[in-house]
Amino acid sequence: MNRNKPLKARDLTILALLSAVAYVVMYLSKLIPINVLGFLSFDLKDVIICIAGFLFGPFAAAGVSLVVSVIEMVTVGSTGLWGLLMNVLSTCAFACAAAAVYQHRRTIKGAVLGLAVGVLLMTAVMLLWNYLITPIYMGQPREFVTTLLLPYFLPFNLIKGGINATLTMLLYKPIVGALRKAKLVEPSSGAGGRSKLGVAAVAGVLLVTFVLLALVLAKVI
């Protein structure tokens, strides 16, 4: 599928479906009893938004991110416009960067490279914006928030990005395969079975590692 072509009605339908799934995943993520500093929580909606970006490009990922974040703000959000801003910045830095790389290199290596770039960019972006915005949100001096950047915000965003990246690696092929069976997206030759198995194995190990790191950071274990 050529991502430079305008989106068709069918494509918009798929994006609407993925937006709905992303919202449900976001809602379920709020049930995960793991957070850092009382307000940093692990949100898994970026996985679905990144898959949308892999399918239709970075601008589609940005659109889904904005739609889901706005609906989240007006339904279950508690952080208002600041939360909306941070949500969109975080998701777009991760999903749009990953999709942009994958758009130009549509291979397993391209996907892995894109996800790695997305994790690093999201971490850097959120360090900057937490430095700028969190003092206002927390009502604390910027000097205090600065002391939290390296021991808390940096590992939190790296772990969150790592979890979302590995879940994207695990779920992209099954979700796209289901869409292809339903004739909603075009068929593709894709990678061989051994390549898929290898990627799934590596992603599984990384996912367990990142989840354990998240539990350590949240002082659960």
Side-chain angles (χ1 to χ4, degrees):
M1 185 183 297
N2 187 347
R3 298 305 177 276
N4 294 320
K5 292 181 179 179
L7 293 175
K8 302 176 182 178
R10 182 185 64 178
D11 301 335
L12 293 174
T13 300
I14 298 171
L15 286 173
L17 173 63
L18 291 174
S19 297
V21 174
Y23 178 84
V24 172
V25 170
M26 174 278 301
Y27 184 83
L28 294 176
S29 295
K30 292 184 178 296
L31 303 178
I32 301 175
I34 302 175
N35 65 73
V36 178
L37 296 176
F39 66 93
L40 295 175
S41 56
F42 291 89
D43 189 347
L44 303 179
K45 70 175 180 292
D46 288 4
V47 175
I48 307 302
I49 296 173
C50 190
I51 290 173
F54 277 10
L55 279 169
F56 300 106
F59 290 108
V64 174
S65 170
L66 181 60
V67 168
V68 175
S69 296
V70 169
I71 297 175
E72 176 183 355
M73 180 187 70
V74 300
T75 54
V76 297
S78 59
T79 53
L81 291 175
W82 290 125
L84 171 65
L85 174 64
M86 299 296 271
N87 247 329
V88 173
L89 286 171
S90 175
T91 300
C92 285
F94 171 69
C96 294
V101 174
Y102 185 63
Q103 187 176 34
H104 293 285
R105 190 175 180 182
R106 300 186 65 79
T107 63
I108 290 178
K109 290 182 179 179
V112 172
L113 176 61
L115 290 168
V117 170
V119 171
L120 294 177
L121 181 61
M122 184 267 289
T123 301
V125 166
M126 295 316 292
L127 279 177
L128 171 62
W129 283 90
N130 275 300
Y131 173 77
L132 295 174
I133 299 300
T134 303
I136 302 172
Y137 173 76
M138 294 182 65
Q140 296 285 349
R142 180 158 283 114
E143 292 75 13
F144 171 74
V145 173
T146 301
T147 65
L148 303 176
L149 291 178
L150 294 183
Y152 291 102
F153 288 106
L154 175 62
F156 170 80
N157 284 295
L158 283 173
I159 293 169
K160 173 186 173 182
I163 290 173
N164 286 327
T166 52
L167 283 173
T168 301
M169 292 169 62
L170 288 169
L171 296 177
Y172 176 67
K173 286 296 183 181
I175 290 176
V176 174
L179 292 173
R180 285 186 177 129
K181 287 182 179 179
K183 300 186 184 302
L184 293 175
V185 298
E186 297 173 5
S188 172
S189 58
R194 291 185 179 180
S195 297
K196 294 179 182 178
L197 183 60
V199 170
V202 172
V205 172
L206 289 174
L207 179 60
V208 171
T209 301
F210 283 121
V211 169
L212 289 175
L213 287 172
L215 294 173
V216 171
L217 184 63
K219 298 181 180 180
V220 175
I221 60 174

